[in-house]
Amino acid sequence: MVMLVSPRRLALLAAALLAGCAAGGAPDASSPAEPGSRPPRITASGAYLAGRFATAETDTTAAADQMNEALRLAPEEAEVLNRAFLANVLDGRAEAVRLARRLPQSELAGMLLAGTDAMAGRWERAEARLRGMPRTGAAQVLQPLLLAWTQAGAGNTDAAMATLKPQIEGSRLRGLAALHGAMISDLANRPREAERLVRLALSDSPETNLRMIQVAAGILARAGKEAEATQLITALAAVGDDLSLVSAPEVRRRLLQTRAVASAVEGMAEAELALAGALRGQGAPELTLLLARLALRLRPDFTPALLIAADALADEKHPDSALALLRRVPDDDPLAAAVAMRRATLLDRLNRPDEAITALRGLQEAYPQSLQPPARLGDLLRTRERYSEAAEAYSTALTRVPRPGAEHWSLFYARGIALERAGDWTRAEADFHRALQLAPEQPYVLNYLGYTWVEHGSNLPEARRMLERAAELRPQDGNIADSLGWALFKLGDMPAATRWMEKAVELESRNSVINDHLGDVYWAAGRRIEAQYQWRRALTLEPEPGEAPKIAAKLRDGLPPR
């Protein structure tokens, strides 16, 4: 396997390797080292640069190892100390606590030490640490929440609620503050106050998430509103992702019977998780992972934090590390099914499709009412070009939808693609029409059906209309521009075909098929040199299997007369 690394990172790695050698330089690579010679001596700067490179690659284990070595060699360097601390937090190492004590000005170190004090029952010390934190950055959001939880841990619920009151009454984050106030009230056996606050949290949050639903449902159930709580969890089935599996009856019962937060320490972990989840949606994987690690230090078995941390690692192309984290989730966890779905996805990314398929088929049997396991199985099989099996999996998913609605268009669309690739165009065409009945303005369905009609040479005027509408809906989509250009080429409208195909290449410059199509259009328009350039370019862009000989033949002979 060849690893492609950006020039900047390659230069950083080279610098790390060079700096890791002794001042006398590395041994001459052209000749073996002298017998008995010492290996190159690692320096602080070499270990530091290697650690920075590993951090950039989100290789948390190597980053922590290298930064710890750099700190051992340069114990007084403030920058090395700070980087070593962050690396140890990212890798979930206990060493982070010792390093945090040397960083009195660090917000992250302050939060970690406050959590350490809380776990030891030193609530007053934890509160003092939090009060001393600057109200900037992440601390601006977390300090009131963490402070309230330390007061609750010390048994002073009234003080905790007073701390949260300004946030609940006037903050742009009042929904989050109200949710934590509800959890604190719930732990203090104040069900009416907990119910009032959790309703405020639900009404003030434009997008509810699984964790909010878990907390709210339990509080409502304990307040005697079990039917409403059940409805909240059941509504997750409509979300359509892995988390919809928690609406299964046996999982729902467990969620309603168990407090989402059973102690003040767990409440502090909840606060850190909330910010980690928000940051992940904003594309901040390193800070997301840091906060998730802080939450896991307070609550090592915290499955939502494990999921967030695993997602952050997977986003940074470390599916193996993400999979290792998810192995910590026990099979009897209420979120075990959602975790199993994530594991299957990670196994597929690690090129272990048989294990992923086995896992998904097991979930399909274990949750006979859920469409997610067979739908995900269909996606996996389709990407692996096992089209007939994929169509069968999608069919299983559709049998679990009594009355398809607009949200189910994608299942018919996916099955249509699988059937078309498997050679069953009649059934595929019917699925595309069904998808358009459910979602008439869905550009991807319009594009696929219109393009396939063009390829078959049928319904060309209708195909053109569909593709023009798809291009209106997705003007920056190069594949749709390509489809429209190709349809216009087939219809003989060369000026319009050229214009759209050039736009498609501009939008998707590294797509072999689109460059090949532009070459065909240029050739038909009499622009032979430009056509040959596009075909040569298409050959360099990893054409699909079987296409390279066709492109080479066009380079040699040109297009046959139309």
Side-chain angles (χ1 to χ4, degrees), residues 82-105:
N82 187 60
R83 293 281 179 179
F85 166 67
L86 293 175
N88 278 275
V89 175
L90 283 168
D91 203 44
R93 298 192 186 188
E95 177 71 4
V97 176
R98 184 182 68 81
L99 298 178
R101 300 190 191 283
R102 298 175 58 188
L103 294 165
Q105 302 304 314

mmCIF file with all atom_site columns, all heavy atoms in Angstrom, residues 82-105:
data_model
loop_
_atom_site.group_PDB
_atom_site.id
_atom_site.type_symbol
_atom_site.label_atom_id
_atom_site.label_alt_id
_atom_site.label_comp_id
_atom_site.label_asym_id
_atom_site.label_entity_id
_atom_site.label_seq_id
_atom_site.pdbx_PDB_ins_code
_atom_site.Cartn_x
_atom_site.Cartn_y
_atom_site.Cartn_z
_atom_site.occupancy
_atom_site.B_iso_or_equiv
_atom_site.pdbx_formal_charge
_atom_site.auth_seq_id
_atom_site.auth_comp_id
_atom_site.auth_asym_id
_atom_site.auth_atom_id
_atom_site.pdbx_PDB_model_num
ATOM 1   N N   . ASN A 1 82  ? 2.908  21.758 27.208 1.00 0.00 ? 82  ASN A N   1
ATOM 2   C CA  . ASN A 1 82  ? 1.519  21.927 26.788 1.00 0.00 ? 82  ASN A CA  1
ATOM 3   C C   . ASN A 1 82  ? 1.118  20.880 25.758 1.00 0.00 ? 82  ASN A C   1
ATOM 4   O O   . ASN A 1 82  ? 0.044  20.277 25.847 1.00 0.00 ? 82  ASN A O   1
ATOM 5   C CB  . ASN A 1 82  ? 1.325  23.332 26.225 1.00 0.00 ? 82  ASN A CB  1
ATOM 6   C CG  . ASN A 1 82  ? -0.123 23.630 25.933 1.00 0.00 ? 82  ASN A CG  1
ATOM 7   O OD1 . ASN A 1 82  ? -0.978 23.593 26.817 1.00 0.00 ? 82  ASN A OD1 1
ATOM 8   N ND2 . ASN A 1 82  ? -0.430 23.932 24.676 1.00 0.00 ? 82  ASN A ND2 1
ATOM 9   N N   . ARG A 1 83  ? 1.997  20.644 24.781 1.00 0.00 ? 83  ARG A N   1
ATOM 10  C CA  . ARG A 1 83  ? 1.692  19.647 23.749 1.00 0.00 ? 83  ARG A CA  1
ATOM 11  C C   . ARG A 1 83  ? 1.642  18.234 24.328 1.00 0.00 ? 83  ARG A C   1
ATOM 12  O O   . ARG A 1 83  ? 0.826  17.411 23.908 1.00 0.00 ? 83  ARG A O   1
ATOM 13  C CB  . ARG A 1 83  ? 2.745  19.724 22.635 1.00 0.00 ? 83  ARG A CB  1
ATOM 14  C CG  . ARG A 1 83  ? 2.711  20.999 21.831 1.00 0.00 ? 83  ARG A CG  1
ATOM 15  C CD  . ARG A 1 83  ? 1.600  20.979 20.818 1.00 0.00 ? 83  ARG A CD  1
ATOM 16  N NE  . ARG A 1 83  ? 1.555  22.220 20.062 1.00 0.00 ? 83  ARG A NE  1
ATOM 17  C CZ  . ARG A 1 83  ? 0.685  22.466 19.096 1.00 0.00 ? 83  ARG A CZ  1
ATOM 18  N NH1 . ARG A 1 83  ? -0.213 21.538 18.774 1.00 0.00 ? 83  ARG A NH1 1
ATOM 19  N NH2 . ARG A 1 83  ? 0.678  23.612 18.459 1.00 0.00 ? 83  ARG A NH2 1
ATOM 20  N N   . ALA A 1 84  ? 2.502  17.961 25.264 1.00 0.00 ? 84  ALA A N   1
ATOM 21  C CA  . ALA A 1 84  ? 2.496  16.636 25.892 1.00 0.00 ? 84  ALA A CA  1
ATOM 22  C C   . ALA A 1 84  ? 1.202  16.424 26.662 1.00 0.00 ? 84  ALA A C   1
ATOM 23  O O   . ALA A 1 84  ? 0.603  15.331 26.629 1.00 0.00 ? 84  ALA A O   1
ATOM 24  C CB  . ALA A 1 84  ? 3.701  16.483 26.817 1.00 0.00 ? 84  ALA A CB  1
ATOM 25  N N   . PHE A 1 85  ? 0.756  17.458 27.355 1.00 0.00 ? 85  PHE A N   1
ATOM 26  C CA  . PHE A 1 85  ? -0.510 17.362 28.089 1.00 0.00 ? 85  PHE A CA  1
ATOM 27  C C   . PHE A 1 85  ? -1.667 17.059 27.144 1.00 0.00 ? 85  PHE A C   1
ATOM 28  O O   . PHE A 1 85  ? -2.460 16.135 27.370 1.00 0.00 ? 85  PHE A O   1
ATOM 29  C CB  . PHE A 1 85  ? -0.763 18.666 28.851 1.00 0.00 ? 85  PHE A CB  1
ATOM 30  C CG  . PHE A 1 85  ? -2.170 18.802 29.366 1.00 0.00 ? 85  PHE A CG  1
ATOM 31  C CD1 . PHE A 1 85  ? -2.640 17.960 30.367 1.00 0.00 ? 85  PHE A CD1 1
ATOM 32  C CD2 . PHE A 1 85  ? -3.026 19.764 28.841 1.00 0.00 ? 85  PHE A CD2 1
ATOM 33  C CE1 . PHE A 1 85  ? -3.945 18.075 30.837 1.00 0.00 ? 85  PHE A CE1 1
ATOM 34  C CE2 . PHE A 1 85  ? -4.326 19.884 29.297 1.00 0.00 ? 85  PHE A CE2 1
ATOM 35  C CZ  . PHE A 1 85  ? -4.788 19.040 30.307 1.00 0.00 ? 85  PHE A CZ  1
ATOM 36  N N   . LEU A 1 86  ? -1.769 17.833 26.054 1.00 0.00 ? 86  LEU A N   1
ATOM 37  C CA  . LEU A 1 86  ? -2.853 17.612 25.096 1.00 0.00 ? 86  LEU A CA  1
ATOM 38  C C   . LEU A 1 86  ? -2.786 16.215 24.492 1.00 0.00 ? 86  LEU A C   1
ATOM 39  O O   . LEU A 1 86  ? -3.822 15.543 24.330 1.00 0.00 ? 86  LEU A O   1
ATOM 40  C CB  . LEU A 1 86  ? -2.789 18.662 23.988 1.00 0.00 ? 86  LEU A CB  1
ATOM 41  C CG  . LEU A 1 86  ? -3.085 20.104 24.399 1.00 0.00 ? 86  LEU A CG  1
ATOM 42  C CD1 . LEU A 1 86  ? -2.858 21.048 23.231 1.00 0.00 ? 86  LEU A CD1 1
ATOM 43  C CD2 . LEU A 1 86  ? -4.505 20.235 24.915 1.00 0.00 ? 86  LEU A CD2 1
ATOM 44  N N   . ALA A 1 87  ? -1.582 15.749 24.165 1.00 0.00 ? 87  ALA A N   1
ATOM 45  C CA  . ALA A 1 87  ? -1.428 14.421 23.568 1.00 0.00 ? 87  ALA A CA  1
ATOM 46  C C   . ALA A 1 87  ? -1.876 13.336 24.535 1.00 0.00 ? 87  ALA A C   1
ATOM 47  O O   . ALA A 1 87  ? -2.508 12.351 24.128 1.00 0.00 ? 87  ALA A O   1
ATOM 48  C CB  . ALA A 1 87  ? 0.024  14.204 23.155 1.00 0.00 ? 87  ALA A CB  1
ATOM 49  N N   . ASN A 1 88  ? -1.566 13.503 25.821 1.00 0.00 ? 88  ASN A N   1
ATOM 50  C CA  . ASN A 1 88  ? -1.980 12.502 26.808 1.00 0.00 ? 88  ASN A CA  1
ATOM 51  C C   . ASN A 1 88  ? -3.488 12.512 27.030 1.00 0.00 ? 88  ASN A C   1
ATOM 52  O O   . ASN A 1 88  ? -4.090 11.457 27.239 1.00 0.00 ? 88  ASN A O   1
ATOM 53  C CB  . ASN A 1 88  ? -1.236 12.735 28.126 1.00 0.00 ? 88  ASN A CB  1
ATOM 54  C CG  . ASN A 1 88  ? 0.164  12.141 28.117 1.00 0.00 ? 88  ASN A CG  1
ATOM 55  O OD1 . ASN A 1 88  ? 0.359  10.964 28.400 1.00 0.00 ? 88  ASN A OD1 1
ATOM 56  N ND2 . ASN A 1 88  ? 1.158  12.957 27.764 1.00 0.00 ? 88  ASN A ND2 1
ATOM 57  N N   . VAL A 1 89  ? -4.103 13.694 26.967 1.00 0.00 ? 89  VAL A N   1
ATOM 58  C CA  . VAL A 1 89  ? -5.564 13.754 27.068 1.00 0.00 ? 89  VAL A CA  1
ATOM 59  C C   . VAL A 1 89  ? -6.189 13.062 25.859 1.00 0.00 ? 89  VAL A C   1
ATOM 60  O O   . VAL A 1 89  ? -7.108 12.248 25.992 1.00 0.00 ? 89  VAL A O   1
ATOM 61  C CB  . VAL A 1 89  ? -6.052 15.208 27.169 1.00 0.00 ? 89  VAL A CB  1
ATOM 62  C CG1 . VAL A 1 89  ? -7.584 15.257 27.138 1.00 0.00 ? 89  VAL A CG1 1
ATOM 63  C CG2 . VAL A 1 89  ? -5.555 15.858 28.451 1.00 0.00 ? 89  VAL A CG2 1
ATOM 64  N N   . LEU A 1 90  ? -5.685 13.379 24.659 1.00 0.00 ? 90  LEU A N   1
ATOM 65  C CA  . LEU A 1 90  ? -6.243 12.793 23.440 1.00 0.00 ? 90  LEU A CA  1
ATOM 66  C C   . LEU A 1 90  ? -6.143 11.275 23.434 1.00 0.00 ? 90  LEU A C   1
ATOM 67  O O   . LEU A 1 90  ? -6.995 10.592 22.874 1.00 0.00 ? 90  LEU A O   1
ATOM 68  C CB  . LEU A 1 90  ? -5.529 13.356 22.213 1.00 0.00 ? 90  LEU A CB  1
ATOM 69  C CG  . LEU A 1 90  ? -5.926 14.774 21.796 1.00 0.00 ? 90  LEU A CG  1
ATOM 70  C CD1 . LEU A 1 90  ? -4.951 15.315 20.759 1.00 0.00 ? 90  LEU A CD1 1
ATOM 71  C CD2 . LEU A 1 90  ? -7.345 14.793 21.234 1.00 0.00 ? 90  LEU A CD2 1
ATOM 72  N N   . ASP A 1 91  ? -5.099 10.731 24.054 1.00 0.00 ? 91  ASP A N   1
ATOM 73  C CA  . ASP A 1 91  ? -4.929 9.272  24.078 1.00 0.00 ? 91  ASP A CA  1
ATOM 74  C C   . ASP A 1 91  ? -5.544 8.645  25.324 1.00 0.00 ? 91  ASP A C   1
ATOM 75  O O   . ASP A 1 91  ? -5.414 7.445  25.528 1.00 0.00 ? 91  ASP A O   1
ATOM 76  C CB  . ASP A 1 91  ? -3.440 8.914  23.995 1.00 0.00 ? 91  ASP A CB  1
ATOM 77  C CG  . ASP A 1 91  ? -3.225 7.506  23.457 1.00 0.00 ? 91  ASP A CG  1
ATOM 78  O OD1 . ASP A 1 91  ? -3.905 7.137  22.471 1.00 0.00 ? 91  ASP A OD1 1
ATOM 79  O OD2 . ASP A 1 91  ? -2.392 6.764  24.020 1.00 0.00 ? 91  ASP A OD2 1
ATOM 80  N N   . GLY A 1 92  ? -6.167 9.451  26.182 1.00 0.00 ? 92  GLY A N   1
ATOM 81  C CA  . GLY A 1 92  ? -6.844 8.922  27.365 1.00 0.00 ? 92  GLY A CA  1
ATOM 82  C C   . GLY A 1 92  ? -5.907 8.370  28.416 1.00 0.00 ? 92  GLY A C   1
ATOM 83  O O   . GLY A 1 92  ? -6.241 7.401  29.102 1.00 0.00 ? 92  GLY A O   1
ATOM 84  N N   . ARG A 1 93  ? -4.745 8.991  28.609 1.00 0.00 ? 93  ARG A N   1
ATOM 85  C CA  . ARG A 1 93  ? -3.751 8.476  29.549 1.00 0.00 ? 93  ARG A CA  1
ATOM 86  C C   . ARG A 1 93  ? -3.844 9.176  30.908 1.00 0.00 ? 93  ARG A C   1
ATOM 87  O O   . ARG A 1 93  ? -4.072 10.388 30.984 1.00 0.00 ? 93  ARG A O   1
ATOM 88  C CB  . ARG A 1 93  ? -2.336 8.654  28.992 1.00 0.00 ? 93  ARG A CB  1
ATOM 89  C CG  . ARG A 1 93  ? -2.106 7.895  27.693 1.00 0.00 ? 93  ARG A CG  1
ATOM 90  C CD  . ARG A 1 93  ? -0.640 7.846  27.343 1.00 0.00 ? 93  ARG A CD  1
ATOM 91  N NE  . ARG A 1 93  ? -0.437 7.237  26.030 1.00 0.00 ? 93  ARG A NE  1
ATOM 92  C CZ  . ARG A 1 93  ? 0.751  6.919  25.539 1.00 0.00 ? 93  ARG A CZ  1
ATOM 93  N NH1 . ARG A 1 93  ? 1.854  7.153  26.247 1.00 0.00 ? 93  ARG A NH1 1
ATOM 94  N NH2 . ARG A 1 93  ? 0.859  6.370  24.345 1.00 0.00 ? 93  ARG A NH2 1
ATOM 95  N N   . ALA A 1 94  ? -3.597 8.405  31.963 1.00 0.00 ? 94  ALA A N   1
ATOM 96  C CA  . ALA A 1 94  ? -3.626 8.949  33.315 1.00 0.00 ? 94  ALA A CA  1
ATOM 97  C C   . ALA A 1 94  ? -2.530 9.985  33.536 1.00 0.00 ? 94  ALA A C   1
ATOM 98  O O   . ALA A 1 94  ? -2.651 10.859 34.405 1.00 0.00 ? 94  ALA A O   1
ATOM 99  C CB  . ALA A 1 94  ? -3.494 7.818  34.334 1.00 0.00 ? 94  ALA A CB  1
ATOM 100 N N   . GLU A 1 95  ? -1.447 9.912  32.763 1.00 0.00 ? 95  GLU A N   1
ATOM 101 C CA  . GLU A 1 95  ? -0.342 10.855 32.874 1.00 0.00 ? 95  GLU A CA  1
ATOM 102 C C   . GLU A 1 95  ? -0.811 12.300 32.707 1.00 0.00 ? 95  GLU A C   1
ATOM 103 O O   . GLU A 1 95  ? -0.173 13.243 33.191 1.00 0.00 ? 95  GLU A O   1
ATOM 104 C CB  . GLU A 1 95  ? 0.706  10.522 31.807 1.00 0.00 ? 95  GLU A CB  1
ATOM 105 C CG  . GLU A 1 95  ? 1.900  11.453 31.728 1.00 0.00 ? 95  GLU A CG  1
ATOM 106 C CD  . GLU A 1 95  ? 2.847  11.308 32.913 1.00 0.00 ? 95  GLU A CD  1
ATOM 107 O OE1 . GLU A 1 95  ? 2.612  10.413 33.762 1.00 0.00 ? 95  GLU A OE1 1
ATOM 108 O OE2 . GLU A 1 95  ? 3.809  12.081 32.990 1.00 0.00 ? 95  GLU A OE2 1
ATOM 109 N N   . ALA A 1 96  ? -1.964 12.493 32.037 1.00 0.00 ? 96  ALA A N   1
ATOM 110 C CA  . ALA A 1 96  ? -2.475 13.843 31.800 1.00 0.00 ? 96  ALA A CA  1
ATOM 111 C C   . ALA A 1 96  ? -2.721 14.592 33.104 1.00 0.00 ? 96  ALA A C   1
ATOM 112 O O   . ALA A 1 96  ? -2.547 15.809 33.172 1.00 0.00 ? 96  ALA A O   1
ATOM 113 C CB  . ALA A 1 96  ? -3.765 13.772 30.981 1.00 0.00 ? 96  ALA A CB  1
ATOM 114 N N   . VAL A 1 97  ? -3.115 13.890 34.160 1.00 0.00 ? 97  VAL A N   1
ATOM 115 C CA  . VAL A 1 97  ? -3.403 14.553 35.443 1.00 0.00 ? 97  VAL A CA  1
ATOM 116 C C   . VAL A 1 97  ? -2.134 15.164 36.023 1.00 0.00 ? 97  VAL A C   1
ATOM 117 O O   . VAL A 1 97  ? -2.130 16.321 36.482 1.00 0.00 ? 97  VAL A O   1
ATOM 118 C CB  . VAL A 1 97  ? -4.028 13.559 36.438 1.00 0.00 ? 97  VAL A CB  1
ATOM 119 C CG1 . VAL A 1 97  ? -4.244 14.227 37.799 1.00 0.00 ? 97  VAL A CG1 1
ATOM 120 C CG2 . VAL A 1 97  ? -5.342 13.021 35.893 1.00 0.00 ? 97  VAL A CG2 1
ATOM 121 N N   . ARG A 1 98  ? -1.045 14.421 36.014 1.00 0.00 ? 98  ARG A N   1
ATOM 122 C CA  . ARG A 1 98  ? 0.219  14.946 36.556 1.00 0.00 ? 98  ARG A CA  1
ATOM 123 C C   . ARG A 1 98  ? 0.668  16.167 35.757 1.00 0.00 ? 98  ARG A C   1
ATOM 124 O O   . ARG A 1 98  ? 1.111  17.172 36.334 1.00 0.00 ? 98  ARG A O   1
ATOM 125 C CB  . ARG A 1 98  ? 1.300  13.862 36.503 1.00 0.00 ? 98  ARG A CB  1
ATOM 126 C CG  . ARG A 1 98  ? 2.626  14.294 37.146 1.00 0.00 ? 98  ARG A CG  1
ATOM 127 C CD  . ARG A 1 98  ? 3.676  13.213 37.023 1.00 0.00 ? 98  ARG A CD  1
ATOM 128 N NE  . ARG A 1 98  ? 4.104  13.001 35.644 1.00 0.00 ? 98  ARG A NE  1
ATOM 129 C CZ  . ARG A 1 98  ? 5.002  13.783 35.025 1.00 0.00 ? 98  ARG A CZ  1
ATOM 130 N NH1 . ARG A 1 98  ? 5.541  14.820 35.653 1.00 0.00 ? 98  ARG A NH1 1
ATOM 131 N NH2 . ARG A 1 98  ? 5.353  13.518 33.783 1.00 0.00 ? 98  ARG A NH2 1
ATOM 132 N N   . LEU A 1 99  ? 0.527  16.111 34.443 1.00 0.00 ? 99  LEU A N   1
ATOM 133 C CA  . LEU A 1 99  ? 0.938  17.237 33.613 1.00 0.00 ? 99  LEU A CA  1
ATOM 134 C C   . LEU A 1 99  ? 0.013  18.439 33.815 1.00 0.00 ? 99  LEU A C   1
ATOM 135 O O   . LEU A 1 99  ? 0.462  19.586 33.771 1.00 0.00 ? 99  LEU A O   1
ATOM 136 C CB  . LEU A 1 99  ? 0.963  16.822 32.143 1.00 0.00 ? 99  LEU A CB  1
ATOM 137 C CG  . LEU A 1 99  ? 1.947  15.704 31.787 1.00 0.00 ? 99  LEU A CG  1
ATOM 138 C CD1 . LEU A 1 99  ? 1.841  15.351 30.316 1.00 0.00 ? 99  LEU A CD1 1
ATOM 139 C CD2 . LEU A 1 99  ? 3.383  16.102 32.129 1.00 0.00 ? 99  LEU A CD2 1
ATOM 140 N N   . ALA A 1 100 ? -1.265 18.178 34.042 1.00 0.00 ? 100 ALA A N   1
ATOM 141 C CA  . ALA A 1 100 ? -2.216 19.274 34.231 1.00 0.00 ? 100 ALA A CA  1
ATOM 142 C C   . ALA A 1 100 ? -1.849 20.130 35.433 1.00 0.00 ? 100 ALA A C   1
ATOM 143 O O   . ALA A 1 100 ? -2.071 21.347 35.440 1.00 0.00 ? 100 ALA A O   1
ATOM 144 C CB  . ALA A 1 100 ? -3.628 18.710 34.395 1.00 0.00 ? 100 ALA A CB  1
ATOM 145 N N   . ARG A 1 101 ? -1.276 19.515 36.464 1.00 0.00 ? 101 ARG A N   1
ATOM 146 C CA  . ARG A 1 101 ? -0.911 20.275 37.666 1.00 0.00 ? 101 ARG A CA  1
ATOM 147 C C   . ARG A 1 101 ? 0.192  21.294 37.386 1.00 0.00 ? 101 ARG A C   1
ATOM 148 O O   . ARG A 1 101 ? 0.398  22.219 38.172 1.00 0.00 ? 101 ARG A O   1
ATOM 149 C CB  . ARG A 1 101 ? -0.484 19.311 38.769 1.00 0.00 ? 101 ARG A CB  1
ATOM 150 C CG  . ARG A 1 101 ? -1.583 18.327 39.162 1.00 0.00 ? 101 ARG A CG  1
ATOM 151 C CD  . ARG A 1 101 ? -1.224 17.537 40.411 1.00 0.00 ? 101 ARG A CD  1
ATOM 152 N NE  . ARG A 1 101 ? -2.164 16.441 40.620 1.00 0.00 ? 101 ARG A NE  1
ATOM 153 C CZ  . ARG A 1 101 ? -3.390 16.572 41.114 1.00 0.00 ? 101 ARG A CZ  1
ATOM 154 N NH1 . ARG A 1 101 ? -3.826 17.779 41.445 1.00 0.00 ? 101 ARG A NH1 1
ATOM 155 N NH2 . ARG A 1 101 ? -4.174 15.524 41.276 1.00 0.00 ? 101 ARG A NH2 1
ATOM 156 N N   . ARG A 1 102 ? 0.891  21.132 36.265 1.00 0.00 ? 102 ARG A N   1
ATOM 157 C CA  . ARG A 1 102 ? 1.950  22.074 35.896 1.00 0.00 ? 102 ARG A CA  1
ATOM 158 C C   . ARG A 1 102 ? 1.446  23.164 34.953 1.00 0.00 ? 102 ARG A C   1
ATOM 159 O O   . ARG A 1 102 ? 2.233  23.976 34.474 1.00 0.00 ? 102 ARG A O   1
ATOM 160 C CB  . ARG A 1 102 ? 3.101  21.317 35.235 1.00 0.00 ? 102 ARG A CB  1
ATOM 161 C CG  . ARG A 1 102 ? 3.779  20.281 36.139 1.00 0.00 ? 102 ARG A CG  1
ATOM 162 C CD  . ARG A 1 102 ? 4.831  19.486 35.381 1.00 0.00 ? 102 ARG A CD  1
ATOM 163 N NE  . ARG A 1 102 ? 5.853  20.347 34.798 1.00 0.00 ? 102 ARG A NE  1
ATOM 164 C CZ  . ARG A 1 102 ? 6.814  19.913 33.953 1.00 0.00 ? 102 ARG A CZ  1
ATOM 165 N NH1 . ARG A 1 102 ? 6.847  18.621 33.614 1.00 0.00 ? 102 ARG A NH1 1
ATOM 166 N NH2 . ARG A 1 102 ? 7.695  20.755 33.459 1.00 0.00 ? 102 ARG A NH2 1
ATOM 167 N N   . LEU A 1 103 ? 0.139  23.185 34.692 1.00 0.00 ? 103 LEU A N   1
ATOM 168 C CA  . LEU A 1 103 ? -0.423 24.134 33.725 1.00 0.00 ? 103 LEU A CA  1
ATOM 169 C C   . LEU A 1 103 ? -1.562 24.933 34.366 1.00 0.00 ? 103 LEU A C   1
ATOM 170 O O   . LEU A 1 103 ? -2.737 24.773 34.006 1.00 0.00 ? 103 LEU A O   1
ATOM 171 C CB  . LEU A 1 103 ? -0.928 23.389 32.489 1.00 0.00 ? 103 LEU A CB  1
ATOM 172 C CG  . LEU A 1 103 ? 0.139  22.704 31.626 1.00 0.00 ? 103 LEU A CG  1
ATOM 173 C CD1 . LEU A 1 103 ? -0.495 21.722 30.658 1.00 0.00 ? 103 LEU A CD1 1
ATOM 174 C CD2 . LEU A 1 103 ? 0.951  23.760 30.876 1.00 0.00 ? 103 LEU A CD2 1
ATOM 175 N N   . PRO A 1 104 ? -1.256 25.810 35.314 1.00 0.00 ? 104 PRO A N   1
ATOM 176 C CA  . PRO A 1 104 ? -2.313 26.519 36.044 1.00 0.00 ? 104 PRO A CA  1
ATOM 177 C C   . PRO A 1 104 ? -3.143 27.456 35.178 1.00 0.00 ? 104 PRO A C   1
ATOM 178 O O   . PRO A 1 104 ? -4.264 27.817 35.563 1.00 0.00 ? 104 PRO A O   1
ATOM 179 C CB  . PRO A 1 104 ? -1.529 27.296 37.112 1.00 0.00 ? 104 PRO A CB  1
ATOM 180 C CG  . PRO A 1 104 ? -0.147 27.433 36.563 1.00 0.00 ? 104 PRO A CG  1
ATOM 181 C CD  . PRO A 1 104 ? 0.099  26.181 35.782 1.00 0.00 ? 104 PRO A CD  1
ATOM 182 N N   . GLN A 1 105 ? -2.634 27.879 34.034 1.00 0.00 ? 105 GLN A N   1
ATOM 183 C CA  . GLN A 1 105 ? -3.370 28.817 33.185 1.00 0.00 ? 105 GLN A CA  1
ATOM 184 C C   . GLN A 1 105 ? -4.192 28.118 32.106 1.00 0.00 ? 105 GLN A C   1
ATOM 185 O O   . GLN A 1 105 ? -4.903 28.786 31.349 1.00 0.00 ? 105 GLN A O   1
ATOM 186 C CB  . GLN A 1 105 ? -2.390 29.787 32.513 1.00 0.00 ? 105 GLN A CB  1
ATOM 187 C CG  . GLN A 1 105 ? -1.539 30.580 33.483 1.00 0.00 ? 105 GLN A CG  1
ATOM 188 C CD  . GLN A 1 105 ? -2.379 31.345 34.482 1.00 0.00 ? 105 GLN A CD  1
ATOM 189 O OE1 . GLN A 1 105 ? -3.361 31.991 34.109 1.00 0.00 ? 105 GLN A OE1 1
ATOM 190 N NE2 . GLN A 1 105 ? -2.010 31.273 35.756 1.00 0.00 ? 105 GLN A NE2 1
#
